[in-house]
Amino acid sequence: MLTIDKTDLSRHHVPRTVSDRIAYRLVGMVQFVAGVLFGRRYRHRTIVLETIAAVPGMVAATLLHLKCLRLMIDDRGWIRVLLNEAETQRVHLMVFVSIDRPNLFERLVVLFAQGLFYNAHFLIYLLSPRTGHRIAGYVAEDAVRGYGQYLNEIRDGRQDNPPAPGLAIAYWNLPPDARLSDAITAILEDEALHRDINHSFADALAGGQNLPGPPQIVS
């Protein structure tokens, strides 16, 4: 069983294998392109990146579902965990969409990036589930860093801090007067959770386990 502390925001998986380094560099390329396109326009950058970040959980859940059907084995709760990850990422997206609507250019970027990433990640996961989960782990690591920078800029007064959307208040049970910074704090914990779940799954696969035990979340 995986024990995960979602409040640890500093954890980083150091790439050790060729698979790790490939995953790390692929995610680094995506973040570099996002930085060039959006810079410190965090809300617009987040809208685009969350449409990509929601892909790995859905791909992994789909392929694991098919694998369990073929082999007639129990999924040990992982299909639901991975689907929940994809759903949570979609909520992150909708929080920011409710504040800033994407323009035509950003919608075109989303169409291209999501189509490219979905098909590429599907093939990668089909060939190497370990690499697929490592990619998802590094995507979440970068999200933790990015949201942390955004939160620091809000606290320093360099970015505005509007009221949290109703969706965020309802989803994370925030107080009625919550601000965007409160929603970002909740998102940070989600991303830390996704980071640790996917890195732990990749570690288990590297260690020869077919399926690890379901994660136990502590906070």
Side-chain angles (χ1 to χ4, degrees):
M1 181 176 292
L2 310 177
T3 301
I4 295 170
D5 181 1
K6 65 180 182 179
T7 63
D8 183 355
L9 303 179
S10 61
R11 190 173 304 157
H12 167 61
H13 177 84
V14 178
R16 298 186 179 90
T17 66
V18 172
S19 173
D20 289 356
R21 287 190 284 273
I22 290 173
Y24 188 71
R25 289 173 181 171
L26 285 174
V27 174
M29 289 171 57
V30 172
Q31 289 297 332
F32 174 78
V33 172
V36 170
L37 291 176
F38 300 103
R40 291 173 57 202
R41 296 168 57 224
Y42 288 107
R43 292 205 292 256
H44 293 265
R45 177 176 177 174
T46 295
I47 287 172
V48 173
L49 289 180
E50 287 292 0
T51 65
I52 295 174
V55 167
M58 185 63 68
V59 167
T62 300
L63 291 177
L64 180 59
H65 175 64
L66 295 176
K67 177 181 179 179
C68 290
L69 292 176
R70 288 196 308 274
L71 300 181
M72 302 178 191
I73 58 175
D74 183 66
D75 74 307
R76 306 187 74 181
W78 276 104
I79 293 174
R80 175 54 54 190
V81 168
L82 295 167
L83 287 175
N84 285 342
E85 176 184 322
E87 170 68 9
T88 301
Q89 298 286 15
R90 188 187 63 81
V91 172
H92 296 176
L93 167 67
M94 298 312 298
V95 166
F96 287 94
V97 168
S98 66
I99 299 174
D100 280 313
R101 302 297 297 183
N103 57 37
L104 178 60
F105 170 73
E106 289 158 353
R107 289 181 180 275
L108 291 174
V109 170
V110 166
L111 285 174
F112 175 78
Q114 189 184 74
L116 178 64
F117 187 74
Y118 181 90
N119 287 286
H121 193 74
F122 183 91
L123 291 174
I124 289 171
Y125 197 97
L126 201 60
L127 296 172
S128 174
R130 180 180 68 182
T131 305
H133 283 290
R134 196 67 79 197
I135 288 172
Y138 285 130
V139 166
E141 277 191 23
D142 274 331
V144 169
R145 284 193 291 271
Y147 281 120
Q149 291 170 1
Y150 188 11
L151 195 57
N152 288 335
E153 293 215 2
I154 289 176
R155 290 168 176 167
D156 293 341
R158 297 195 298 272
Q159 299 280 346
D160 59 351
N161 190 23
L167 171 63
I169 292 173
Y171 188 78
W172 289 291
N173 196 27
L174 301 175
D177 61 346
R179 313 295 294 185
L180 178 60
S181 58
D182 299 307
I184 292 175
T185 299
I187 290 172
L188 273 171
E189 290 190 0
D190 287 346
E191 296 292 357
L193 177 63
H194 300 159
R195 172 201 64 195
D196 292 345
I197 285 176
N198 280 284
H199 280 319
S200 297
F201 205 132
D203 289 341
L205 292 174
Q209 295 183 48
N210 189 28
L211 279 174
Q216 177 181 359
I217 313 302
V218 298
S219 58

